[in-house]
Amino acid sequence: MDGRSTETPFSARLGAWLRSHRPELLAALLLLAVLPMRDLWAPDEPDFAQCVKEMRLRGEWLLPYLNGQPYSEKPILYYWVMKASAQILDTLTGGLGFSHGVAAWALRLPSALAAVAFLSAFRRWAARFLQPGLAEPAAWILATTPLWFWQSQFIQIDLLFAALLAWSWLCWLGGYLLLGRPPEAVEAGESRRWFLKAYFWLALAFLAKGPLAPVLSMLLLLVFLGWQRDFRVLARTHLLAGLGITLLIVAPWYLAAGIRGGASYAYELIVHQNLERATRAWDHLQPWWKYGEYLLGDFFPWVLLLPAAGLHLRRECRLADPAWRFLLLAFLVPLVFLSLVQSKQGKYLLMAHPFLALLIADLFHQLDAHRTRRLGGLLAGGLGILAAVLAALVLGAGGPRLQAQIAPFLGPLRLLALVLTCGTLFVLIQALRGKAAALIPGTALSLALLYLVGGTWGFRRLDPSKSYRRWTTAVQPLIAGRPVFYWQTLRSGVMVYTDHLMPELRSAKALESLDPEARLVAQRDEWEQDAWGMMPALRARFEVLLAVPTGGDEILLLKKRPDPMPEEAP
């Protein structure tokens, strides 16, 4: 023995760790770069920020409030994590970027943390339960899927909900797969732990977005077990314990919130925002096939490989394996169910994206040279389409009006076109050389650079026209000490950085009774509509004090002209 230590050097261990966590590290770095680059953008971010602001002012944890009223849009979990993030970071940073108790970057942090944490757990799950070499490509795909990345840096509930629900399904599948393995190959009690974790995360998903979580989960399990012809296995999945966990986590808040908010709040929260939104929707009304269109953009360019993934499942007999049956159904069941619901947005299908990423990643397992060229050509073609569109814009396509609109963004657009052109050439060269292992990372890194340039330089250029800061700076001296009202449905951005609440006025009668000392805020497009009892004669009784272009519209501050004095009797 020469006395030298055989322990692996720290630098080597660190390097190995960094290499094994590349997708998560890339996602984390991108999100940290993008989070502080813009202010609150309508329509949803100011609403959530205002709720956090009012919860902090009230010292409230039980109910979210918006404009002084209990807000029934969603259950409480996301508001809890946003408020906790705001309070902790406000204290730790000495109020860096905070105004009136909120900072956009701090409220975005929960979505970013949920995205990175899920990505890490997702990669480790795939390494544990699926064939070797699949975990990292799937994580690269998911981390750079456009909608997943966008929602990861957005103040909105959908990324957190999708991460909780998808992880619940993966945990349940992990427990199910362990039941089918020889006892000597499974740690004692391991399947039970996976099932209980599934129910715990499902309960949190329920507390994040309501009954959609258990409804989708039950449908998925019923279809999967029906395909397996294995309903007897339910006796081994600890369903009673799962029900107990769900009730223990969900029921206390629903009961307390229903008591505090009253019957109308409970109805809005449970019935109006779930059953009525699904069957008699009032917004985002779309035809049944709309999610096919959404996927083209939300999952681009990986979506170009979906037909090949379907053929691959059949050719490789993957669907004889229960794991792949479940992964396919975890995409198809939400797709079909949500297609039947009237209200549709691409983000509603976000929980299916991890399973799509696994289906696509499996295409690249043990590729021959011919399939490498074909799949690589599709990915290079997708990047090339984006590069060509950006290059055309930079070179003057679209006419004078469009060119005038994009003139402030020519710098970022040129760099984006260059990045995507280089990415296209790299992926194409690797495909022609038969380097299958480089196709997914090469495409992912090209997309990551696209997000980095667009989310920093591009967002900075766009933010002044989207942010409500200009409006707040201009209006604050004009409303100090005065009652302020809002015409029609409130846009929370107009008040989130002010000291005011702004009760909504919805009728001409309410406008007529407005005190001349009060002030009225309105969007120009709504103010100039002859609707809700509004007529030109009534509109003429108001004077515009301020008009600030914001978010594609114009925000008005108005005051009512004093009523004329009656003539004295002779």
Side-chain angles (χ1 to χ4, degrees), residues 349-360:
L349 194 60
L350 203 60
M351 80 291 291
H353 284 212
F355 303 96
L356 267 181
L358 287 167
L359 294 173
I360 296 297

Side-chain angles (χ1 to χ4, degrees), residues 28-289:
L29 292 173
L30 280 175
L31 292 171
L32 286 175
V34 169
L35 288 189
M37 290 297 163
R38 61 183 178 86
D39 197 34
L40 304 169
W41 285 4
D44 297 308
E45 289 192 316
D47 283 347
F48 285 114
Q50 180 66 23
C51 286
V52 172
K53 170 186 167 181
E54 294 189 35
M55 289 175 74
R56 293 193 67 183
L57 287 172
R58 291 169 172 268
E60 177 71 57
W61 285 96
L62 182 59
L63 293 179
Y65 282 79
L66 182 65
N67 208 11
Q69 301 296 321
Y71 190 53
S72 62
E73 180 75 16
K74 293 294 182 293
I76 197 63
L77 182 64
Y78 191 56
Y79 302 99
W80 280 344
V81 296
M82 283 192 299
K83 184 184 176 185
S85 177
Q87 292 194 169
I88 292 170
L89 293 172
D90 194 358
T91 301
L92 291 179
T93 66
L96 178 65
F98 278 80
S99 178
H100 291 81
V102 294
W105 70 271
L107 298 185
R108 291 191 182 105
L109 197 58
S111 292
L113 291 176
V116 175
F118 176 83
L119 196 64
S120 178
F122 171 74
R123 181 187 53 77
R124 288 184 281 111
W125 184 94
R128 170 73 173 84
F129 290 103
L130 301 177
Q131 66 262 32
L134 185 61
E136 185 170 308
W140 280 122
I141 292 170
L142 183 60
T144 55
T145 293
L147 185 63
W148 187 272
F149 176 78
W150 172 259
Q151 292 295 142
S152 298
Q153 56 81 55
F154 202 67
I155 305 172
Q156 211 168 52
I157 202 166
D158 297 275
L159 193 286
L160 176 65
F161 172 71
L164 292 170
L165 187 57
W167 181 236
S168 168
W169 293 352
L170 289 171
C171 289
W172 193 94
L173 178 58
Y176 181 85
L177 295 175
L178 290 173
L179 289 178
R181 295 183 179 180
E184 61 273 12
V186 179
E187 182 184 330
E190 189 178 7
S191 65
R192 181 176 184 274
R193 289 195 296 273
W194 280 102
F195 283 125
L196 294 182
K197 285 194 293 185
Y199 303 132
F200 172 79
W201 295 110
L202 176 61
L204 291 184
F206 195 147
L207 205 56
K209 202 173 180 179
L212 179 64
V215 168
L216 280 178
S217 300
M218 287 188 292
L219 286 173
L220 174 59
L221 295 187
L222 287 173
V223 176
F224 171 70
L225 293 176
W227 194 354
Q228 289 288 102
R229 299 180 183 178
D230 193 18
F231 285 103
R232 289 177 298 178
V233 79
L234 287 173
R236 303 170 62 193
T237 60
H238 306 282
L239 279 177
L240 288 179
L243 180 61
I245 290 171
T246 303
L247 289 175
L248 187 64
I249 292 174
V250 174
W253 178 80
Y254 268 88
L255 289 173
I259 293 170
R260 169 79 74 82
S264 62
Y265 175 82
Y267 176 85
E268 289 280 329
L269 176 70
I270 298 171
V271 179
H272 182 66
Q273 293 293 341
N274 293 282
L275 182 61
E276 291 183 358
R277 181 180 285 273
T279 58
R280 297 195 301 274
W282 55 90
D283 60 359
H284 310 301
L285 297 173
Q286 301 292 350
W288 66 267
W289 46 262

